[in-house]
Amino acid sequence: MAMNIRQMEILDLARATGRVAVEELAERFDVTLQTIRRDLGELADQGMLDRVHGGAVMRSGVSNIGYEERRRMNEDAKAAIARACAAQIPDNSSIIINLGTTTEAVARELLAHRNLTVITNNMNVANILVANESCEIMVAGGALRRTDGGLVGDLTTEFMAQFKPDYAIIGTSALDADGDLLDFDMAEVRVSRAIAGLARRAYLVTDISKLERSAPVRIISMQDLDTVFVDKPLPAPLTQKCAEWDTRVIVAD
């Protein structure tokens, strides 16, 4: 089934933001809610989107969204999350930072910090922090993933195992309602698990839209984290679980 012009624009919006809402689209295109629901249903039937309550999200579950698209998604939320996380990192700290566009946003917020030691398997993080002359950067070995500048594999995990940093800052591709962090790449998951277990404090940085996505591989649970930084409050059941687990949740302003 061929898409009409409105549906193509809806798909472009979903690619740019990760999620589209029925009411906002109806107002934008000056059509009825029923028309937008029909558009979203047809796009879902074609495998372009996944329907969620009140709208639709980019289809996921077996493969990740492309890096450039992910970098453009929810940029303001990621920047706010990054500022909140960086505010909890003191000068003279050691940090492991893993893959992800939100962890890269944290790296940008660390440019004014002094005397940091940063260990990373993210080439983009390393390139960002080059501008901080007081930051010592240690880059893991491993297989370079050209799609996003990540280093993964057994060599990466072995390299990370040599350190016990003050903080681990990790991202995730998706979040399950029960608090599990999810990803697509088993090699990346092994590195993320190792990173979270090495640090004295493990921080997750993620925007709330990750609850609307799915991925097939479990990383760890929020129960294993010290702090979760998000842009909006978590659903009440998950907030309650975090309280029971003694996992702090910071909602970025």
Side-chain angles (χ1 to χ4, degrees):
M1 182 186 300
M3 289 185 288
N4 60 42
I5 294 174
R6 185 178 57 251
Q7 289 172 344
M8 288 189 285
E9 291 187 25
I10 289 171
L11 191 57
D12 286 340
L13 286 169
R15 285 172 175 154
T17 63
R19 188 185 193 282
V20 288
V22 171
E23 292 185 359
E24 292 174 1
L25 291 173
E27 182 177 353
R28 180 187 183 97
F29 294 105
D30 193 23
V31 295
T32 65
L33 299 178
Q34 184 179 2
T35 296
I36 293 299
R37 291 192 184 101
R38 185 167 57 247
D39 285 337
L40 297 182
E42 291 177 3
L43 289 169
D45 290 342
Q46 295 178 63
M48 301 293 185
L49 298 175
D50 281 329
R51 291 301 308 274
V52 297
H53 179 69
V57 297
M58 289 300 300
R59 173 146 294 186
S60 62
V62 294
S63 62
N64 208 350
I65 300 170
Y67 171 78
E68 288 300 329
E69 289 187 20
R70 280 185 284 136
R71 191 173 67 175
R72 292 192 299 269
M73 289 168 61
N74 304 314
E75 287 182 303
D76 291 343
K78 290 175 183 176
I81 292 164
R83 286 192 296 271
C85 179
Q88 299 292 316
I89 305 291
D91 292 341
N92 308 300
S93 297
S94 55
I95 314 165
I96 283 185
I97 303 178
N98 82 335
L99 307 182
T101 55
T102 311
T103 58
E104 292 169 21
V106 175
R108 284 188 285 273
E109 295 297 328
L110 294 174
L111 287 172
H113 281 53
R114 310 302 297 172
N115 301 318
L116 297 180
T117 298
V118 174
I119 306 107
T120 187
N121 64 324
N122 187 330
M123 296 290 290
N124 299 314
V125 164
N127 287 329
I128 290 166
L129 288 170
V130 162
N132 184 342
E133 295 182 357
S134 73
C135 178
E136 181 181 7
I137 305 166
M138 307 183 74
V139 180
L144 175 63
R145 199 164 59 187
R146 289 181 173 84
T147 54
D148 61 3
L151 293 150
V152 295
D154 291 340
L155 283 176
T156 312
T157 305
E158 291 169 10
F159 176 86
M160 295 297 192
Q162 300 177 71
F163 300 94
K164 190 174 180 64
D166 298 316
Y167 303 93
I169 301 173
I170 64 175
T172 186
S173 293
L175 280 174
D176 205 49
D178 63 5
D180 281 341
L181 283 61
L182 306 172
D183 217 310
F184 297 91
D185 187 332
M186 192 64 215
E188 180 178 342
V189 165
R190 283 194 289 267
V191 176
S192 296
R193 285 175 184 162
I195 288 172
L198 291 168
R200 293 178 174 86
R201 296 179 183 87
Y203 290 172
L204 170 67
V205 289
T206 184
D207 64 84
I208 204 73
S209 72
K210 299 296 177 65
L211 279 166
E212 297 168 350
R213 302 186 63 201
S214 181
V217 187
R218 181 182 183 274
I219 307 174
I220 55 174
S221 168
M222 284 185 177
Q223 185 175 9
D224 304 313
L225 301 167
D226 293 274
T227 306
V228 176
F229 296 87
V230 289
D231 57 317
K232 295 179 181 177
L234 296 171
L238 189 51
T239 298
Q240 178 62 33
K241 285 185 177 182
C242 286
E244 294 170 359
W245 296 331
D246 200 24
T247 299
R248 184 172 56 156
V249 178
I250 294 180
V251 180
D253 186 356

